[in-house]
Structure formats: C-alpha cells, structure tokens
Amino acid sequence: MLYSLKTGPEQTVELNAAEATRLRELLQALRTSCEVTRNEESLLNTLDFEEDFKSRLLAHHVFFRTALFQDSFEAAFVGACQAAGRRVVSAPAGQRFWDIELDGKRISLKSTKAQSVRWETLHISKLTEAAWIQDCRTAAARQDRTRDLFNEYTEEVQSIVQLRFFQRKNLYELVEIPVAILRGVLDVPRSFFQADGPTINIPVGQEPPDFTLKLDRSDAKVTLANIRKECCIVHGTWQITGA
C-alpha cells in the first residue's frame, strides 16, 4: 500500500507503509513533552538555536532511543548553530585541542552521560592527551611541560562547551566553561608537581578551588575535575518528560 505526502504547493511523494510508519514515529518523537529552560542572556542559546537543538535532541533521544553524546552531540550542536545563522567551520584533521570555529571563536565540544555526573560540579575526563606525562621523572619536567601545554591550549581555545546528561532526571544541560580559568595552572608552584601523577586544586590555596587538575599517568591524559558550575555559563536545560 502506498501513501501520499505533500512536500510543497505542487509536489507530492509516495511512501510505502514502512516509510509512512517511520515518519509518524519521528513526528511523535519531535512532539514529545520536553521542559526547556533557556538562559535569556546567552549569546549561544538563542530562540532559533534552542528550537533546532531541541528537535535534534528529541529525534535522537526518543526516535533513535539513545542519548545525545559525542559525535551525535557535535552534529546536533553544529546543525543548531547553522540554523541560528552562525558561521561554523570544523577543525582541520589532526587538531588536538578544539573541534569547531563558531564565528571565529574556537570551541572544544565535550559530552558526558556518566552515572557519576554531579549537579554542582563538572568533570572532563580527557581535556587532551599528553603522552609526555609517562616520561617525566622530575617535578621540574612536569611543571614545564604542564605550563607549555596550558599556554598553548589557552591561546588556541576560547571555550569548552559540554552537554551533560542526567539519566535519572532524563535531563540534558548545556554548559560553557570559560578557558580563562585554566590559566590558573600557570601559577602553580613547582613543589606541587612532585608526584608522578599529581592532583592539584586550582587556584592553589583557594577554598573551594575553581577546579582540580589531574595529570593521569596511567592513561597519559589531562583531566579536569570538580569544576565549579558557578564559574561557568549554563546556556539551557532540556528535560524530557514524555518519553
């Protein structure tokens, strides 16, 4: 059996039963109840961005039945930015620090759906790879290489945008971490780099710290933990209540 679908004033396409069923399911997914909070001061999460991003989020989460995460998040983010009239350029192959340029602003895109995600603090398990961590044997070497890395990172990247999924609440949160706070790493005294894989609260001596730097020697990566959300910009939340 064939079904007809009008796609324009003078254009109609024919669908088979399976195609018609998928379209009904997709439309139902797009109309799933979703409670949205939008930061009205956000330069990113405009009305056009939010509307497009929500449709992509619902299509993925409800229609495909999997959380928006990693590559699918990047595709949804880029698509929503373009729908909002923003200019997006993908990072060249081999770029290790950032993923896209958004109107000339270099952004690293991260996502998490970990069970341990916390409401008040953020966690980036791998800011970047750093193979040199396993080769450093002195505090001086670790400090110098860490300073070089964060100098380069903060010069190249302007912001980190993370999509966080809270599974128990069925809620997504889009948060921006200003890279400026990472420059606090440059002021850490050498004595804090004595351990093979040091864990350092940044800024040193501040309570509570803005974040915790971890040089993970076993996986040769840099981790940022306990990032205070009050240091960041929450652009919006999407809580799916009808799925």
Side-chain angles (χ1 to χ4, degrees):
M1 182 176 180
L2 295 178
Y3 299 81
S4 295
L5 175 67
K6 191 172 183 179
T7 58
E10 299 180 357
Q11 187 175 7
T12 300
V13 296
E14 291 186 338
L15 307 174
N16 62 34
E19 291 171 334
T21 299
R22 294 295 85 71
L23 283 178
R24 285 194 295 268
E25 291 173 348
L26 177 57
L27 181 59
Q28 184 178 9
L30 293 175
R31 292 182 174 176
T32 299
S33 178
C34 181
E35 295 181 2
V36 177
T37 61
R38 187 178 68 85
N39 181 351
E40 295 185 358
E41 297 181 357
S42 168
L43 299 177
L44 170 64
N45 194 17
T46 62
L47 287 171
D48 287 339
F49 176 95
E50 191 284 316
E51 183 178 70
D52 192 89
F53 188 77
K54 181 177 73 172
S55 71
R56 294 172 187 271
L57 187 154
L58 289 172
H60 201 87
H61 186 101
V62 182
F63 183 70
F64 290 112
R65 300 178 184 274
T66 183
L68 196 64
F69 182 63
Q70 292 182 339
D71 290 345
S72 59
F73 162 55
E74 181 172 341
F77 184 87
V78 168
C81 287
Q82 292 172 333
R86 310 290 291 273
R87 185 176 65 88
V88 183
V89 178
S90 296
Q95 170 53 240
R96 60 187 291 218
F97 292 151
W98 52 277
D99 299 292
I100 64 167
E101 275 189 346
L102 180 60
D103 294 336
K105 181 179 180 180
R106 292 172 176 172
I107 296 177
S108 172
L109 297 175
K110 303 289 186 182
S111 57
T112 181
K113 57 178 182 178
Q115 293 281 357
S116 59
V117 63
R118 299 177 181 177
W119 185 249
E120 294 299 335
T121 58
L122 287 75
H123 185 92
I124 298 177
S125 62
K126 185 171 75 174
L127 179 71
T128 182
E129 294 178 349
W132 51 263
I133 293 174
Q134 296 178 334
D135 299 325
C136 289
R137 293 293 182 266
T138 67
R142 277 185 285 273
Q143 182 191 41
D144 290 344
R145 295 301 295 269
T146 301
R147 286 175 58 88
D148 289 344
L149 174 67
F150 276 84
N151 260 320
E152 185 179 1
Y153 191 96
T154 55
E155 286 176 3
E156 287 198 25
V157 184
Q158 280 74 58
S159 279
I160 303 167
V161 174
Q162 186 180 55
L163 183 70
R164 310 201 300 157
F165 178 51
F166 296 83
Q167 297 184 39
R168 291 183 180 179
K169 297 181 178 181
N170 226 17
L171 181 144
Y172 290 86
E173 180 184 55
L174 191 65
V175 186
E176 182 174 356
I177 304 163
V179 166
I181 69 171
L182 303 187
R183 294 194 65 83
V185 173
L186 305 179
D187 299 324
V188 176
R190 181 163 295 177
S191 59
F192 285 80
F193 291 92
Q194 293 290 345
D196 287 343
T199 296
I200 308 169
N201 289 332
I202 310 291
V204 171
Q206 176 179 297
E207 288 294 337
D210 291 342
F211 67 95
T212 301
L213 168 69
K214 296 183 178 182
L215 301 184
D216 189 335
R217 193 167 184 272
S218 61
D219 292 332
K221 66 180 182 179
V222 175
T223 293
L224 303 182
N226 306 316
I227 306 167
R228 285 195 298 145
K229 193 160 69 171
E230 61 190 74
C231 295
C232 306
I233 302 168
V234 178
H235 289 289
T237 64
W238 294 262
Q239 185 169 22
I240 302 171
T241 57

